[in-house]
Amino acid sequence: MQTELSTQLGAEHALFGFTPFPAVAAALTRAGGFGVLGAVRYGAADDLRRDLDWMAAHTGGLPWGLDVVMPAKKVESVTEADVEAMIPEEHRQYVRKVLDRYDVPDLPDGQDGGWRITGWMEEVARSQLDVAFDYPVKLLANALGSPPPDVIERAHRHDIPVAALAGSPRHAERHKEAGIDIIVAQGYEAGGHTGEIATMVLTPEVVRAVAPLPVLAAGGIGSGEQVAAALALGAQGAWLGSVWLTTTEADLGSRALTRKLLAATAGDTVRSRALTGKPARQLRTDWTDAWEPGEGPGPLPMPLQGLLVAEANSRIQRYEVEPLLGTPVGQIVGSMNSERSVQAVVDDLTRGFEAAVARLGGIAGAG
Amino acid sequence: MQTELSTQLGAEHALFGFTPFPAVAAALTRAGGFGVLGAVRYGAADDLRRDLDWMAAHTGGLPWGLDVVMPAKKVESVTEADVEAMIPEEHRQYVRKVLDRYDVPDLPDGQDGGWRITGWMEEVARSQLDVAFDYPVKLLANALGSPPPDVIERAHRHDIPVAALAGSPRHAERHKEAGIDIIVAQGYEAGGHTGEIATMVLTPEVVRAVAPLPVLAAGGIGSGEQVAAALALGAQGAWLGSVWLTTTEADLGSRALTRKLLAATAGDTVRSRALTGKPARQLRTDWTDAWEPGEGPGPLPMPLQGLLVAEANSRIQRYEVEPLLGTPVGQIVGSMNSERSVQAVVDDLTRGFEAAVARLGGIAGAG
C-alpha cells in the first residue's frame, strides 16, 4: 500500500499512526507503517529523551515521527501559575462537587496531578524539539495549528517535513501558506480535537485546497475498507489514532478503561469541551455529561479547562471510577472489540484494503 | 458501475438519487441511475398521480422509485387540527416576532401556507401508496423508520422491494427484523434528518449489522471519488440527495436560494430541529440560529414544529428573505459550485469513480 508520500518517507504502507505510547509507535513502524509518537505528555525533556532513545533502538532504522503541541501565537513567559490564577472559584467548586458525588478518592500525599498543561506550553514544546532534533525523526507533526515559522525552518534545515492537522479547507490553506509540508485532514468523527466537517467531505475538499501538498485523512479509519475509502477520497495515506488504544502494546493504565473501549458503540462518543476547553471527541461519560450545556458552569476556554480538570482526571483514572472514566477516542470505537497486537491490526488493514480495492475493481469492470 | 443490487433493480449504475422533483428523478433514471421521487410534498393523491403519469412517460421503461414518509407507529385518526391545538401560544408568538424582525410580508389573501404536515400523516401516505401501486414503481423507500407491516407486505405482493433509512446499526437491525429489503445508511454529514455517526463509520457498521441485506450509503456523497469511498466501505450503491438541488432540472422556486447553495461552504450547514422538530441538516441561516439553545422557546417535537413553521417557511421562500432562506442540504454543499444538468452530474460521478478506482489499483499494486 504505497503512495508517493509513503515512498518519500520510506514506509512500506501509507499507514500513519498517532499514539502516546512508544511501544505502539515502534511496533507500527516495524510492521511497515509510520509510527508518530505524541509528545504532549512529556513535561521533562529527559523523559522524552529516554523514550526517544528507546524508539531509536526498537525501530531498526525504519521511519517514525514525533507529534508536538505548539501554538503559532507566542504567549510571552506565561507560567502555569499565571493560568491557574485565571480559573474562577465557581469552576473549582463544581469540579469538587462532581468528584464528591462519585466518591472519588484524593491522590496520595505528595503525588501531584500527573499530566497538567505543561506539554501545551510553547516553552516546553521548544525544549522537546531541542531533544527531538538529536534523533532520526522523519516527520514532525503539530496538533495545534501551524507551528511558529522558525520551528518550521529549523525542521526543514534538518530535512524533516512538517505536518499539521486541519479541520476545514480554510484551515488547511493557512497551513500551506505557513510552509507546512503535509496536511492531516481531521474529520468530525475523529478522536480528540475535531471540527464539524466529516472525513468523507473534508478529505477531498482539503486535497483540492492545498494541492499539490499531500494530505493524510484522519477520522473514522480503523479498518482496511476505511483506509481504501480515505485513499479513494484523494488522501496519500491514512492517519489512525483510536485503533491503537486497544492494542496489546498500548498502556492505558486502567483495565477498566480498556474494557469500556472494547464495549463502546459508535454512538458512545461525544464532542465535548470537558477535557481541554476545545471540542474534542471522547467517550461519553458522566464526566462529559457534567460539562454539557445546562449542567454546572460549563467548560472554560483552552488552556484553562485543561488545567482545571487535570488533577480530577488523574484521580478518576487512578481509582478507575467507572462512570467518569473516559479517554479521547473516535467513532470507530464501536468496531474496537478485541485486543490485538499492532502487527495484527496492520495485517488486517492491509488485507482489508486489498479486498476493498479488488471489490471496487469488480464494480468498475462490471459497469 | 454495477453492483448486485443495481443489477437486480435494472439500473446501469449503482447511483440512487432522492429528489422532490420529477424532472430530476426522471433525468437520473434516463442517465442510467435510479431516480427516487420524494412524495412528502404531495397532499392530494391527484397531484401525485399527475406526476407519476409524467414519470412513467419520461423514463422509457427504465427503473425508478418512490419515497414516502410513513411512521411505523399508528396514530389513530389524528387530524391536522388536533396537532395545531397542541402548539403553545408562546411558540406562535416567537415565530411572528422573528418574521417581524426581518419584515417578512404576509401571504396574499386566500393563499394557504403551502406544504403543511399532511404528507407526514399516515393516512395521506397510505392514499399515496394506493396511487403508487398503479405505476411501475421499482422501489418503495420510507424516510421515517420502517413502514407498517401491512405496507411492507403489500409492496412485496407487487414485487417491490422496500428501503428504509437508518442512522445507527441498531436502527438498521430493527428495519431488517421488520422485513425491510434495503437499508439506506444515512450519515451525520447528510442533508435532512441525520444521526450523529458519520458515513465513514456508519456504512461498514450497518453492512455488518444487516448482512446479507444490501446497504446504500448516504451522506457526504457528491463526487465520483466519494461514490468510490462509499462502495469501498461495503455499500452496494450510493444514495445522493443534495447534489441534485443545483441541477438545471431542479426547481427550487427561488433563484436566491440556488445562489445561496452555490456560494455555501461545507461549514455552512447545521443539524437543527428548526424545520421538523427532529435534527435535520440544512443551510445555516438566521432562521436556524433563532431556534438554537438560548434563543427563544426552542423547537417543538415532531410533528408540532413542522406545522408551527410551515407558513413561515412559505413566506420566507416566496419573498426570498435571504437571511432566513434555507433548505435541507448536506455538507457536500461546499462542492456544489455550478449548475449542471443531471446527465452532466452522472457523467462526472461515473468518470470520477473510474479514476478513483484506477488510482486505488495503483496504490494496491505498488505495495
Side-chain angles (χ1 to χ4, degrees), chain A residues 118-203:
Chain A
T118 47
W120 298 80
M121 315 280 289
E122 180 174 349
E123 211 176 286
V124 175
R126 283 185 178 273
S127 74
Q128 292 175 345
L129 288 176
D130 290 338
V131 174
F133 288 127
D134 290 341
Y135 292 84
V137 167
K138 298 294 182 210
L139 176 76
L140 183 68
N142 191 38
L144 209 69
S146 301
D150 67 295
V151 171
I152 299 177
E153 281 165 29
R154 196 171 162 198
H156 287 171
R157 277 200 305 276
H158 285 82
D159 273 335
I160 301 174
V162 182
L165 267 67
S168 73
R170 212 170 58 177
H171 195 184
E173 281 164 6
R174 286 201 301 267
H175 287 328
K176 186 184 182 189
E177 285 159 19
I180 295 293
D181 307 288
I182 300 164
I183 308 294
V184 181
Q186 167 114 325
Y188 160 87
E189 54 269 65
H193 292 128
T194 74
E196 295 194 343
I197 308 175
T199 298
M200 195 82 162
V201 174
L202 182 67
T203 309

Side-chain angles (χ1 to χ4, degrees), chain A:
Chain A
M1 191 197 307
Q2 282 195 352
T3 63
E4 206 176 314
L5 180 65
S6 65
T7 305
Q8 176 199 323
L9 294 175
E12 184 185 350
H13 304 302
L15 298 172
F16 296 76
F18 167 79
T19 172
F21 307 115
V24 172
L28 174 56
T29 285
R30 288 197 307 272
F34 192 104
V36 180
L37 180 67
V40 73
R41 299 194 315 169
Y42 297 94
D46 280 354
D47 291 343
L48 180 61
R49 191 175 290 281
R50 182 199 63 218
D51 279 0
L52 295 188
D53 279 334
W54 189 93
M55 284 292 295
H58 290 82
T59 44
L62 294 166
W64 51 276
L66 191 71
D67 185 285
V68 296
V69 179
M70 178 170 278
K73 269 184 281 181
K74 204 178 168 70
V75 186
E76 288 294 345
S77 54
V78 172
T79 66
E80 197 167 292
D82 297 334
V83 181
E84 285 271 10
M86 296 166 71
I87 297 176
E89 183 53 30
E90 181 193 6
H91 284 77
R92 297 194 186 278
Q93 278 174 6
Y94 183 65
V95 168
R96 282 193 292 270
K97 191 176 128 188
V98 176
L99 295 176
D100 285 350
R101 198 186 303 155
Y102 290 88
D103 293 325
V104 181
D106 283 318
L107 293 176
D109 279 351
Q111 291 256 345
D112 75 7
W115 177 77
R116 296 176 73 86
I117 62 157
T118 47
W120 298 80
M121 315 280 289
E122 180 174 349
E123 211 176 286
V124 175
R126 283 185 178 273
S127 74
Q128 292 175 345
L129 288 176
D130 290 338
V131 174
F133 288 127
D134 290 341
Y135 292 84
V137 167
K138 298 294 182 210
L139 176 76
L140 183 68
N142 191 38
L144 209 69
S146 301
D150 67 295
V151 171
I152 299 177
E153 281 165 29
R154 196 171 162 198
H156 287 171
R157 277 200 305 276
H158 285 82
D159 273 335
I160 301 174
V162 182
L165 267 67
S168 73
R170 212 170 58 177
H171 195 184
E173 281 164 6
R174 286 201 301 267
H175 287 328
K176 186 184 182 189
E177 285 159 19
I180 295 293
D181 307 288
I182 300 164
I183 308 294
V184 181
Q186 167 114 325
Y188 160 87
E189 54 269 65
H193 292 128
T194 74
E196 295 194 343
I197 308 175
T199 298
M200 195 82 162
V201 174
L202 182 67
T203 309
E205 289 217 357
V206 169
V207 167
R208 271 192 299 274
V210 302
L213 286 193
V215 173
L216 300 173
I221 308 176
S223 71
E225 56 203 349
Q226 286 159 335
V227 172
L231 298 184
L233 295 170
Q236 289 219 16
W239 176 274
L240 301 88
S242 302
V243 74
W244 316 113
L245 292 175
T246 49
T247 57
T248 48
E249 288 90 343
D251 178 15
L252 295 187
S254 161
R255 287 303 301 166
L257 182 53
T258 298
R259 284 194 300 271
K260 276 189 107 166
L261 287 170
L262 294 171
T265 72
D268 290 336
T269 72
V270 64
R271 259 178 100 234
S272 164
R273 295 175 52 216
L275 195 62
T276 66
K278 287 199 181 196
R281 185 172 299 286
Q282 51 202 287
L283 277 186
R284 182 179 170 174
T285 65
D286 287 3
W287 178 255
T288 61
D289 284 352
W291 296 97
E292 287 297 303
E295 302 287 328
L300 295 169
M302 183 185 274
L304 302 187
Q305 181 72 12
L307 197 54
L308 170 67
V309 303
E311 191 199 315
N313 281 332
S314 295
R315 289 164 61 186
I316 291 165
Q317 176 132 4
R318 179 183 186 108
Y319 299 106
E320 299 188 303
V321 186
E322 296 216 16
L324 304 176
L325 191 61
T327 181
V329 70
Q331 292 187 333
I332 65 151
V333 71
S335 300
M336 290 158 50
N337 301 323
S338 67
E339 288 180 273
R340 295 175 296 167
S341 68
V342 169
Q343 179 71 57
V345 171
V346 171
D347 288 346
D348 268 10
L349 290 170
T350 54
R351 272 196 300 258
F353 172 75
E354 303 285 337
V357 172
R359 191 172 63 242
L360 280 178
I363 293 171

Side-chain angles (χ1 to χ4, degrees), chain B:
Chain B
M1 191 196 309
Q2 283 195 353
T3 62
E4 205 177 313
L5 180 64
S6 65
T7 304
Q8 177 199 322
L9 295 175
E12 185 185 350
H13 305 302
L15 298 172
F16 297 76
F18 167 78
T19 172
F21 307 116
V24 172
L28 174 56
T29 286
R30 288 197 307 271
F34 193 104
V36 180
L37 181 67
V40 73
R41 299 196 315 168
Y42 297 93
D46 281 352
D47 292 343
L48 179 61
R49 190 174 290 282
R50 183 200 60 217
D51 280 359
L52 295 188
D53 279 334
W54 189 92
M55 284 292 294
H58 290 82
T59 44
L62 294 166
W64 51 276
L66 192 71
D67 185 284
V68 296
V69 178
M70 178 171 279
K73 270 183 281 182
K74 205 178 168 71
V75 186
E76 287 294 347
S77 54
V78 172
T79 66
E80 196 167 291
D82 297 335
V83 182
E84 285 271 12
M86 296 166 70
I87 296 177
E89 183 53 29
E90 181 193 5
H91 284 77
R92 296 195 186 278
Q93 278 173 6
Y94 183 65
V95 168
R96 282 194 292 270
K97 191 176 128 187
V98 176
L99 295 176
D100 285 350
R101 196 186 303 154
Y102 290 87
D103 293 325
V104 181
D106 283 319
L107 293 175
D109 278 352
Q111 291 256 346
D112 74 9
W115 176 76
R116 296 176 73 86
I117 62 157
T118 47
W120 299 80
M121 315 279 290
E122 179 174 348
E123 210 178 287
V124 174
R126 285 185 177 272
S127 74
Q128 291 175 346
L129 288 176
D130 290 338
V131 174
F133 289 128
D134 291 342
Y135 292 83
V137 167
K138 298 293 182 212
L139 177 75
L140 184 68
N142 192 38
L144 209 68
S146 302
D150 67 295
V151 170
I152 299 176
E153 282 166 28
R154 196 172 163 197
H156 287 170
R157 280 201 304 277
H158 285 83
D159 274 334
I160 302 174
V162 181
L165 268 66
S168 73
R170 211 169 62 177
H171 194 184
E173 280 164 7
R174 287 202 300 268
H175 287 329
K176 186 184 182 188
E177 285 159 20
I180 295 292
D181 308 287
I182 299 163
I183 308 294
V184 182
Q186 168 114 326
Y188 160 86
E189 55 269 65
H193 293 128
T194 73
E196 295 193 345
I197 307 175
T199 298
M200 196 82 163
V201 174
L202 181 67
T203 308
E205 289 217 358
V206 169
V207 166
R208 273 193 296 274
V210 302
L213 287 193
V215 173
L216 299 173
I221 308 176
S223 71
E225 56 204 347
Q226 286 159 335
V227 172
L231 298 184
L233 295 170
Q236 289 219 14
W239 176 274
L240 300 89
S242 302
V243 74
W244 316 114
L245 291 176
T246 48
T247 57
T248 48
E249 288 90 342
D251 179 15
L252 295 188
S254 160
R255 287 303 300 168
L257 183 53
T258 299
R259 283 193 301 271
K260 276 189 108 166
L261 288 170
L262 294 171
T265 72
D268 290 336
T269 72
V270 63
R271 258 177 100 234
S272 165
R273 295 175 52 216
L275 195 62
T276 66
K278 288 200 180 196
R281 186 173 300 285
Q282 51 202 285
L283 278 186
R284 181 177 171 177
T285 66
D286 287 4
W287 179 254
T288 61
D289 284 351
W291 296 95
E292 288 297 304
E295 302 285 328
L300 294 169
M302 181 184 277
L304 302 188
Q305 181 73 11
L307 196 55
L308 171 67
V309 303
E311 192 199 315
N313 281 332
S314 295
R315 288 164 61 185
I316 292 165
Q317 176 132 7
R318 180 185 185 105
Y319 298 107
E320 298 186 305
V321 185
E322 296 215 15
L324 304 175
L325 190 62
T327 181
V329 71
Q331 292 186 333
I332 64 150
V333 71
S335 300
M336 291 159 47
N337 301 323
S338 66
E339 289 180 272
R340 295 176 296 167
S341 68
V342 169
Q343 179 71 57
V345 172
V346 172
D347 288 346
D348 268 9
L349 290 170
T350 54
R351 272 196 300 257
F353 172 75
E354 302 286 337
V357 173
R359 192 173 61 241
L360 280 178
I363 294 170

